[in-house]
């Protein structure tokens, strides 16, 4: 496989909780990532203890967000962990590290601890270079992207749209909400938060909602992910306590939660095995099965028809656009 | 100090790194640079570090055969920090490799050390293609031309990688147009649909087990028709089909399809690929008929 300049060997990965959670597992960190469908207090409370929110959105270079009024102030003196994104495709892993590097007394595997320690005194640019230069980290990251049976590089194919996604981490550092965006020169400091009630999450909700509202409706494609403590160990120990006599309703509820969590892990494992797999053999096998079943010819004809319709539709849309102009 | 009149023996992108005062930590400096090894007009061997932003030659060391060596700093986290050291002194100069890909680091270092030992050493290059490195002088040319990056107006200096990101985003539309120009008359994504496959599995359950060897080996459930259904519906499988379809459309998969046991001709497009599959199916079914006879 050829390695081009922009990616330095970092492959594109999906921005999916299953992918992030697998990466965290490889890093030896007892955290997982879940989808966050809403910022309301109940949704957030259900995911506690929450360590960081990851906001990812389609990066639109033309709608420069420096022109609009943005909350927060640059903090060049930020004493926490902040690394610049210096390589394409590494953005997801970099965002995770920008979060992990700021979690006090984080439990982690030896390689990650060493990397965090080694880069502790570096400036954000150098730190970014060191992170993206770590072969072991790149291998962990690439482990969840499909193997290339064929090199698509240099064939002039359109690149996947996912690489236009941009990652921003929000998390509490030393009493204030911080926004860490590897494409920005500095960490961005938002308000100090009140430790009572929802704490930093209240500030984070306000900041993220305000940010979403600065984009015209429909112009922003985004999703939110929650970096949280793995709930399984705590659920299991709660279950042990609840299985004492007379506690069965509580135990049943815990069992339901545990089985939900396990079902989710099974789904992640299933999808991750598909992500790592080279499907070319299966493609051939399925086509062969269609041919043996005497259905390949028919399928081919209907595929040609579908393509023709699609091209006509595209033409019709193109014609409409011409009239508009 | 000048490169004029000098014969460039070797050049590659590298930045400088400095030891933090009072410690053993070496900090890479982000400034873009390049290392040149030249036979100077004075006929001496020069080790030059050139700032790729300003074009200044900021370091020019005269080296004597066997005295200097360029070795990896094993403690460095990135693995791309090197030190130029001397047998005759305690002098140390630190550098870090700046070629976007680390795959050629070893090659540059081996050639550099070869030249430090023997000025008549002939550099060995495993690949002369992708990064545009035809020879030492043209590599140097390429480095300096890419170094002329525009300064950003925001006061935040974009890295070459960030510029490349932007460029890629801006260009992706254009590249898409190229691939679409070869108007295809059908796509594999319209053939391998659940609508075509699920009835096949019900009508010909005997074909299902032959697909199991093609499923991921680390699937958390045993292979079954159910698992197969899940896979066919999955975005990962659909995107794999679409990638393969795109690659096949380039007509350049002759080498790959041979590994699938198909004639090279099958890699020249979707039509030829499907024809080869049909032939493979006919052949295998003929064999089966003969076996049962």
């Amino acid at each position: 496989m050829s390695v081009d300049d922009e990616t330095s060997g970092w492959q594109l990965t999906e921005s999916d909780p299953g992918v992030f959670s697998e990466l965290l597992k490889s890093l030896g960190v007892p955290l997982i990532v879940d989808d966050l469908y809403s910022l309301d207090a109940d949704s957030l409370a259900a995911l506690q203890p929450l360590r960081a929110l990851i906001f990812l959105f389609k990066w639109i270079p033309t709608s420069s967000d420096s022109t609009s009024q943005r909350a927060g102030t640059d903090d060049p003196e930020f004493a926490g962990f902040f690394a610049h994104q210096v390589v394409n495709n590494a953005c997801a892993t970099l965002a995770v590290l920008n979060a992990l590097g700021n979690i006090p007394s984080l439990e982690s595997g030896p390689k990650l601890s060493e990397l965090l320690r080694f880069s502790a005194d570096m400036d954000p640019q150098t730190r970014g270079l060191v992170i993206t230069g770590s072969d072991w980290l790149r291998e962990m990251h690439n482990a969840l992207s499909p193997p290339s049976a064929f090199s698509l590089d240099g064939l002039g194919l359109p690149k996947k749209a996912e690489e236009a996604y941009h990652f921003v981490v929000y998390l509490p550092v030393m009493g204030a909400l911080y926004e860490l965006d590897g494409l920005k020169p500095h960490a961005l400091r938002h308000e100090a938060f009140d430790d009572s009630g929802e704490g930093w999450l209240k500030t984070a909700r306000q900041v993220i909602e305000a940010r979403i509202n600065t984009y015209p409706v429909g112009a922003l494609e985004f999703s939110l992910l929650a970096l949280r403590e793995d709930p399984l160990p705590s659920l299991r120990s709660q279950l042990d306590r609840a299985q004492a006599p007379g506690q069965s309703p509580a135990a049943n509820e815990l069992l339901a939660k545990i089985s939900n969590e396990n079902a989710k892990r099974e789904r992640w494992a299933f999808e991750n095995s598909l992500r790592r797999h080279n499907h070319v053999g299966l493609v051939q096998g399925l086509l062969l099965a269609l041919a043996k079943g005497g259905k390949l010819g028919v399928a081919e004809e209907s595929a040609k028809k579908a393509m023709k319709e699609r091209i006509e539709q595209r033409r019709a849309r193109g014609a409409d656009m011409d009239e508009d102009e | 100090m000048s490169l004029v009149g000098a014969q460039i023996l070797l050049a590659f992108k590298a930045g400088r790194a400095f030891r933090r005062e009072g410690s053993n930590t070496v900090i890479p400096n982000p400034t873009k640079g390049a290392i040149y090894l030249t036979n100077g007009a004075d006929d001496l061997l020069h080790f030059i570090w050139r700032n790729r932003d300003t074009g200044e030659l900021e370091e020019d060391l005269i080296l004597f055969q066997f005295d200097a060596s360029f070795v990896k700093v094993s403690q460095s986290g990135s693995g791309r920090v090197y030190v130029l050291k001397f047998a005759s002194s305690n002098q140390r100069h630190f550098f870090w490799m700046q070629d976007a890909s680390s795959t050629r680091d070893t090659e540059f270092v081996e050639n550099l050390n070869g030249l430090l030992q023997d000025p008549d050493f002939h550099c060995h290059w495993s690949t002369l293609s992708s990064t545009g490195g035809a020879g030492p002088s043209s590599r140097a040319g390429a480095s300096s031309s890419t170094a002329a990056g525009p300064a950003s107006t925001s006061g935040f200096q974009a890295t070459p990688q960030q510029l490349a990101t932007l460029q890629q985003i801006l260009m992706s539309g254009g590249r898409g147009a190229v691939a679409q120009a070869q108007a295809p008359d059908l796509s594999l994504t319209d053939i391998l649909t659940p609508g075509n496959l699920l009835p096949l599995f019900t009508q010909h359950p005997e074909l299902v087990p032959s697909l199991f060897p093609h499923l991921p080996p680390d699937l958390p459930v045993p292979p079954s028709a159910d698992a197969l259904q899940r896979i066919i519906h999955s975005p990962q499988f659909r995107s794999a089909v679409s990638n393969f379809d795109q690659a096949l459309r380039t007509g350049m998969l002759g080498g790959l399809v041979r590994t699938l046991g198909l004639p090279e001709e099958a890699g020249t497009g979707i039509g030829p690929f499907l024809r080869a599959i049909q032939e493979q199916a006919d052949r295998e079914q003929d064999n089966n008929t003969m076996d049962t006879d």
Side-chain angles (χ1 to χ4, degrees), chain A residues 5-6 8 86 88 118 121 125 129 133 160 266 273-277 284-285 289 292 295 304 310, chain B residues 20 77-78 96 100 159 161 164-165 168 190 203 207 211 214 218-219 221 234 236 243 260 280 284-285:
Chain A
D5 264 13
E6 298 105 8
S8 290
V86 295
N88 264 1
F118 175 77
D121 295 327
Q125 180 73 13
L129 289 167
K160 282 281 177 303
E266 192 268 345
S273 79
L274 298 186
R275 288 188 178 100
R276 281 187 288 260
H277 190 56
Q284 185 189 16
K292 286 181 180 170
K295 297 191 184 288
K304 279 183 184 159
R310 207 171 296 135
Chain B
R20 180 186 291 267
S78 71
W96 61 285
T159 66
Q161 284 87 351
T165 311
Q168 204 170 9
D190 290 323
Q203 288 161 31
L207 293 172
L211 297 166
H214 301 301
D218 55 350
L219 210 61
V221 296
S234 75
Q236 290 81 25
N243 282 340
L260 299 173
Q280 186 190 4
E284 286 178 13
Q285 275 172 333

Side-chain angles (χ1 to χ4, degrees), chain A:
Chain A
M1 201 192 84
S2 77
V3 178
D4 57 43
D5 264 13
E6 298 105 8
T7 63
S8 290
W10 288 73
Q11 291 164 28
L12 197 61
T13 52
E14 272 178 74
S15 313
D16 179 272
V19 171
F20 281 104
S21 297
E22 176 86 12
L23 177 70
L24 290 163
K25 199 161 122 195
S26 315
L27 290 170
V29 173
L31 300 174
I32 64 166
V33 167
D34 270 316
D35 272 318
L36 189 58
Y37 297 109
S38 158
L39 282 168
D40 67 52
D42 288 344
S43 308
L44 292 172
L47 298 173
Q48 287 282 20
L50 264 162
R51 297 295 176 216
L53 301 180
I54 302 172
F55 178 60
L56 56 143
F57 59 99
K58 255 304 174 29
W59 169 241
I60 314 158
T62 48
S63 73
S64 103
D65 42 11
S66 56
T67 54
S68 56
Q69 279 292 314
R70 290 281 315 285
T73 44
D74 274 348
D75 185 357
E77 304 299 310
F78 178 59
F81 185 95
F82 175 54
H84 285 166
Q85 183 188 323
V86 295
V87 167
N88 264 1
N89 295 354
C91 43
T93 295
L94 190 96
V96 167
L97 285 198
N98 271 340
L100 297 181
N102 289 298
I103 298 173
S105 47
L106 175 80
E107 189 188 311
S108 74
K111 281 188 169 155
L112 177 61
S113 313
E114 195 199 317
L115 178 64
L116 295 178
R117 219 177 16 248
F118 175 77
S119 59
D121 295 327
M122 293 178 178
D123 61 276
Q125 180 73 13
T126 314
R127 196 178 274 144
L129 289 167
V130 165
I131 289 174
T132 38
S134 298
D135 295 341
W136 62 269
L137 186 63
R138 192 183 58 229
E139 278 159 26
M140 270 182 200
H141 168 100
N142 287 349
L144 284 164
S145 58
S148 316
F150 37 90
S151 172
L152 293 172
D153 301 324
L155 297 182
L157 298 177
K159 296 278 178 165
K160 282 281 177 303
E162 284 104 311
E163 69 189 351
Y165 273 96
H166 184 60
F167 292 70
V168 182
V169 176
Y170 291 90
L171 85 172
V173 185
M174 292 168 284
L177 177 75
Y178 271 88
E179 176 179 327
L180 304 178
D181 175 343
L183 289 180
K184 292 276 160 63
H186 305 295
L188 206 63
R189 187 183 197 274
H190 293 281
E191 285 166 57
F193 58 85
D194 183 355
D195 252 340
S196 65
E198 278 189 281
W200 68 277
L201 287 170
K202 190 176 164 199
T203 318
R205 173 191 305 120
Q206 289 161 352
V207 169
I208 294 172
E209 281 176 351
R211 178 169 196 162
I212 293 169
N213 289 333
T214 60
Y215 294 91
V217 177
L220 178 72
E221 229 180 90
F222 70 93
S223 47
L224 276 165
L225 298 168
L227 182 66
R228 59 186 291 228
E229 248 172 54
D230 183 352
L232 269 178
S234 131
L235 286 172
R236 287 203 187 103
S237 60
Q238 285 178 56
L239 180 66
D240 284 345
R241 285 196 299 276
Q243 274 170 336
Q247 297 267 338
S248 64
N252 286 342
E253 197 184 315
L254 285 165
L255 274 171
K257 279 189 184 165
I258 290 174
S259 90
N260 278 343
E261 274 299 320
N262 284 333
K264 185 172 75 191
R265 308 298 161 104
E266 192 268 345
R267 200 184 70 231
W268 285 348
F270 192 92
E271 289 169 358
N272 285 341
S273 79
L274 298 186
R275 288 188 178 100
R276 281 187 288 260
H277 190 56
N278 174 0
H279 294 276
V280 172
L282 181 59
V283 167
Q284 185 189 16
L286 288 167
L287 291 170
L288 200 57
L290 278 171
K292 286 181 180 170
K295 297 191 184 288
L296 186 59
V298 188
E300 228 175 299
E301 285 317 306
S302 67
K304 279 183 184 159
K305 213 168 131 234
M307 180 62 79
K308 219 170 161 182
E309 279 166 14
R310 207 171 296 135
I311 290 170
E312 273 160 18
Q313 269 172 16
R314 208 178 291 152
R315 272 202 199 117
R317 266 207 308 276
D320 282 352
M321 268 152 53
D322 288 345
E323 281 160 26
D324 287 346
E325 277 170 2

Side-chain angles (χ1 to χ4, degrees), chain B residues 78-111:
Chain B
S78 71
R80 300 189 75 189
V81 177
Y82 288 79
V83 58
L84 180 73
K85 50 185 185 183
F86 303 88
S88 60
S89 77
N90 289 330
Q91 226 186 335
R92 295 268 186 280
H93 296 271
F94 293 96
F95 298 91
W96 61 285
M97 302 305 242
Q98 284 182 327
D99 200 281
S101 148
S102 61
T103 50
R104 304 188 67 204
D105 288 2
T106 339
E107 202 171 54
F108 290 135
V109 171
E110 276 169 11
N111 285 322

